[in-house]
Amino acid sequence: MPDLFRSTGFRWALGIAAWTTVMALTMFAFVYWQTADFMREELAETLRLEVRAAAAQPAATLDRVETWIAMDRHATHYGGLFGPDGTRRAGNLVALPAGLPRDGDSTRVDAVLDLSQGRVDDAIWAAALALPDGGTVVIAHDTDEVDRVRTTTLRALGLGLVPTLVLSGLGGLVLAGRARRRLATTEVAVAEVMRGDLGRRLPVGRANDEFDRLAGTVNRMLDEIEHLVHEVQSVGDAVAHDLRTPLTRLRARLERSREQATSVAELHAAIDQGLAWIDQTLAMVTAVLRIGEIEHGRRRAGFAPVDLGEVVREAAEFFEPVAEDKDVALALAVDPELAPVEGDRDLLFEAVSNLIDNAVKFTPAGGTVRVAYAASEAGRAVVVSDTGPGIPEAERAQVFRRFYRAEPARHTPGHGLGLGLVAAIARMHGFSVAADAAPGGGARFTLLCPAGPSRRT
């Protein structure tokens, strides 16, 4: 039984039944109130008219009272003619009802009735008016009709309430059962996801109701979780693979130096080589941690207006010596009138620097790297293009993944984390970054800032 009360379906059915009961009681109360009020008003108007007619002609008052009493064979009409001292002259009222005002208006009072079965105490509706001689005429009617309305209404309520409760309860159970079936399928799907089936999704119907919209939202969340889990797995595999090579080399070099070194100089050379491999490993770990720190978004609180054109100019100047050493031309075009962007200056410098470094690294001698910052239809864009081997179209969406290296880059020093760092910085700032083919061959990377005030004001 406690499990039943904890069931949502049972609570829904109980709630629907209770609400239906309240509505039925309210409806019956309203119907009774309106009907009884209407009947009382009709009766009051009749009594007012009759008592005024009886008092208007004192000579005919007695006949009027007797006619009113004789109109009803079931003794529901009452009347009386009383002298100035209150003695009864005619009618079936034994005495003038106490507390009855003589203003011609209808009032509910208790009276003693002189009926064929004897004297009876009962409640009646009565109207009284004073006569010219000081007497009083009373016209009255019993309350049975109004009481019958109340009794009939209560009986109808009692007879209709039970089937109403049963039908509303059944309706609640049907509706709750439908909802429960949908929840059951959702629970099955969630249980499979919890068991490790990240490809399972919640069922989505065609009604596009609240359940369907919620299921769609959860499915999108599961898509993102699956993507992140797969990315973590691939990152872990890549980290393990990239760490194994320098550590294996380091171990082999140390063993060989321990057994074959014949001088301090040879030991120093072995240590220097080992330190270089350790630095390479630490650089990779630092880059991974750097990307994680950026994706956490803690630095958003320090965002401020940044002149991105100046950042691009400084990054290009920083790599000019590197480009000259490789005999690569570095062309720069910056629109100085563009408005600042909101962001972290150091991170934006790092993102632009990685794009330029990547372009210079893969551009052969005699080639050209072009760096531009200008307004476009979609916003403001930093565009870095080169005349290198380019990126195959099938791999352009993958180059921003951690540790991913396109085929032309597999024999170039690096870990495949630079573009992943650029993507993390772009996401943190609400920017987008994309790779495509440069017009003259090679690769082109576009860091797009969201549309905003393009020009300085």
Side-chain angles (χ1 to χ4, degrees):
M1 184 62 71
D3 293 337
L4 179 63
F5 283 103
R6 283 196 295 267
S7 169
T8 301
F10 177 80
R11 291 200 300 267
W12 281 15
L14 192 62
I16 292 175
W19 176 252
T20 305
T21 302
V22 172
M23 291 297 294
L25 290 173
T26 303
M27 181 187 68
F28 275 101
F30 180 78
V31 170
Y32 168 73
W33 170 59
Q34 288 291 311
T35 304
D37 187 67
F38 172 77
M39 294 183 65
R40 282 194 297 267
E41 185 58 33
E42 286 291 311
L43 179 59
E45 183 64 20
T46 300
L47 295 178
R48 283 193 294 268
L49 293 176
E50 286 293 332
V51 76
R52 289 171 184 170
Q57 299 177 354
T61 299
L62 179 59
D63 293 337
R64 192 79 182 188
V65 171
E66 291 178 348
T67 301
W68 167 257
I69 296 173
M71 286 175 59
D72 184 71
R73 298 179 180 178
H74 302 288
T76 60
H77 288 191
Y78 309 107
L81 181 60
F82 300 92
D85 57 355
T87 56
R88 183 177 68 167
R89 295 178 179 176
N92 54 3
L93 293 177
V94 175
L96 186 64
L100 179 63
R102 299 192 300 172
D103 55 1
D105 203 4
S106 175
T107 305
R108 183 185 176 101
V109 293
D110 293 325
V112 180
L113 310 177
D114 186 8
L115 303 179
S116 58
Q117 64 269 32
R119 295 187 176 187
V120 178
D121 293 332
D122 200 1
I124 60 173
W125 290 96
L129 276 177
L131 298 174
D133 63 354
T136 303
V137 60
V138 178
I139 299 297
H141 196 288
D142 66 12
T143 62
D144 291 348
E145 291 185 8
V146 177
D147 294 339
R148 280 194 297 271
V149 169
R150 181 178 67 253
T151 303
T152 303
T153 304
L154 293 176
R155 184 184 300 112
L157 175 61
L159 294 176
L161 196 57
V162 173
T164 299
L165 283 172
V166 173
L167 292 177
S168 61
L170 290 176
L173 289 175
V174 170
L175 295 176
R178 293 182 58 187
R180 178 58 189 168
R181 285 191 295 273
R182 298 191 64 176
L183 290 176
T185 57
T186 300
E187 289 175 352
V188 171
V190 171
E192 294 187 8
V193 172
M194 293 174 62
R195 285 194 293 267
D197 184 6
L198 296 180
R200 182 63 188 270
R201 296 296 179 265
L202 306 186
V204 180
R206 300 179 180 178
N208 196 30
D209 56 11
E210 291 81 358
F211 283 104
D212 293 333
R213 291 194 294 272
L214 177 61
T217 301
V218 174
N219 286 340
R220 289 190 293 273
M221 180 185 69
L222 291 175
D223 291 338
E224 183 65 20
I225 291 174
E226 183 180 18
H227 169 73
L228 292 175
V229 169
H230 289 162
E231 185 172 291
V232 169
Q233 291 174 346
S234 63
V235 168
D237 295 341
V239 169
H241 180 271
D242 285 0
L243 284 178
R244 182 176 60 183
T245 300
L247 291 177
T248 301
R249 290 177 179 175
L250 177 59
R251 188 178 189 283
R253 182 62 183 267
L254 291 176
E255 286 184 352
R256 187 167 57 250
S257 299
R258 184 186 63 181
E259 296 175 356
Q260 300 177 2
T262 59
S263 65
V264 176
E266 291 180 358
L267 286 175
H268 285 175
I271 292 173
D272 290 341
Q273 184 62 58
L275 291 175
W277 287 331
I278 290 175
D279 289 341
Q280 180 183 0
T281 303
L282 289 176
M284 180 183 62
V285 173
T286 301
V288 173
L289 294 176
R290 177 80 167 147
I291 293 175
E293 177 188 359
I294 292 171
E295 289 182 338
H296 190 275
R298 286 189 293 264
R299 297 181 65 165
R300 286 195 186 97
F303 276 12
V306 177
D307 186 347
L308 190 54
E310 182 65 24
V311 171
V312 172
R313 188 178 296 107
E314 291 179 2
E317 292 175 355
F318 182 80
F319 281 94
E320 277 184 359
V322 179
E324 290 178 1
D325 290 343
K326 285 195 62 177
D327 191 23
V328 172
L330 186 58
L332 177 65
V334 174
D335 187 345
E337 297 300 323
L338 295 184
V341 300
E342 287 289 323
D344 186 303
R345 193 181 194 282
D346 294 337
L347 291 180
L348 292 175
F349 180 85
E350 189 171 357
V352 176
S353 296
N354 279 333
L355 292 177
I356 298 176
D357 180 38
N358 193 71
V360 172
K361 183 188 302 182
F362 293 104
T363 302
T368 302
V369 173
R370 294 180 174 83
V371 182
Y373 176 54
S376 65
E377 294 182 358
R380 289 153 287 180
V382 177
V383 181
V384 179
S385 59
D386 59 56
T387 55
I391 304 172
E393 185 175 357
E395 299 185 30
R396 291 172 188 167
Q398 308 295 325
V399 295
F400 297 102
R401 291 170 50 191
R402 303 177 194 179
F403 297 101
Y404 185 86
R405 308 194 76 193
E407 189 60 36
R410 295 196 181 276
H411 303 291
T412 305
H415 301 291
L417 292 172
L419 293 179
L421 186 61
V422 173
I425 294 174
R427 283 194 298 269
M428 178 182 178
H429 286 78
F431 300 169
S432 63
V433 61
D436 61 353
R444 179 175 63 183
F445 291 87
T446 302
L447 180 65
L448 182 63
C449 310
S454 297
R455 299 291 175 178
R456 296 178 185 272
T457 58

